[in-house]
Amino acid sequence: MPFRPTTAAALRRAAIAAPLATLMLGGCTASNLLTTSQFYNPASATATPVLFDRNYTIVGQGSVEKAGVGGAAYFTAMSGSYAAAYGGVINGSNVGDLMTSGQAVYSADYEVEVVSGLEIAYDTLQGVAGSDSGNIILTADFDAATLTGEDGSLRVDGTISGEDVTGNVVYAGVEGQLEGLVGQSGTVGAFHGNDARMVYAGGFAATRP
């Protein structure tokens, strides 16, 4: 069954389809031949990668931002027999002074674009495009160098190095990758993931109270 967003603020779902093509997409693996996801470096909330394949149709796009710290941008796309998701921290995001000890708690808004239920039927790649959003409490433990939190469908498990955050997420049961920033003023992050039936990308942003 297609994934149904579990958060109360789920925004939309729409059935989508794309004719099959013979183009092979780099980055796919034997276990998920139809899907890929990766980071990019968005210059703005609506930017797509410079080398993004224009044969793809963007089916979902968004950003989450907080004044004073920045945010993340993300989108999902389909082309022929492939579905893709991209996420990245917006250039110029600034989370303030470096923190090296103690803890900080951030109430972050997050948003996700997802294409789920991917399957090939009648020579067409079909799926359900949707948006999800919510609020997640993230705890930065600077002594343990971790940034963690969980809300509904989203779990964040990050490692802090200076102001940089890397690590993993799980969204709707599908593992993904995380990158971001954390500091005195707030935290921002972008994430993406995919399996054989789903692609997703999203982000979070918070200012520190």
Side-chain angles (χ1 to χ4, degrees), residues 54-189:
R54 299 303 173 181
N55 291 320
Y56 278 75
T57 298
I58 293 176
V59 296
Q61 186 169 18
S63 65
V64 57
E65 299 175 79
K66 289 291 185 179
V69 296
Y74 40 85
F75 66 94
T76 55
M78 293 179 68
S79 174
S81 57
Y82 301 98
Y86 290 78
V89 173
I90 297 171
N91 291 346
S93 294
N94 186 340
V95 293
D97 294 338
L98 184 68
M99 297 182 66
T100 58
S101 63
Q103 290 190 345
V105 177
Y106 308 89
S107 178
D109 293 330
Y110 72 87
E111 298 179 6
V112 189
E113 289 290 337
V114 57
V115 183
S116 61
L118 290 165
E119 62 180 356
I120 295 174
Y122 304 104
D123 294 329
T124 300
L125 178 65
Q126 300 179 348
V128 179
S131 299
D132 196 6
S133 61
N135 182 266
I136 185 170
I137 301 301
L138 297 172
T139 300
D141 186 330
F142 295 97
D143 297 311
T146 59
L147 179 71
T148 57
E150 186 170 1
D151 176 77
S153 301
L154 178 65
R155 186 172 78 241
V156 172
D157 184 10
T159 299
I160 300 170
S161 177
E163 71 170 8
D164 296 324
V165 178
T166 57
N168 304 296
V169 300
V170 176
Y171 178 72
V174 178
E175 294 183 356
Q177 294 180 283
L178 166 71
E179 68 174 16
L181 304 168
V182 63
Q184 179 71 39
S185 299
T187 183
V188 298

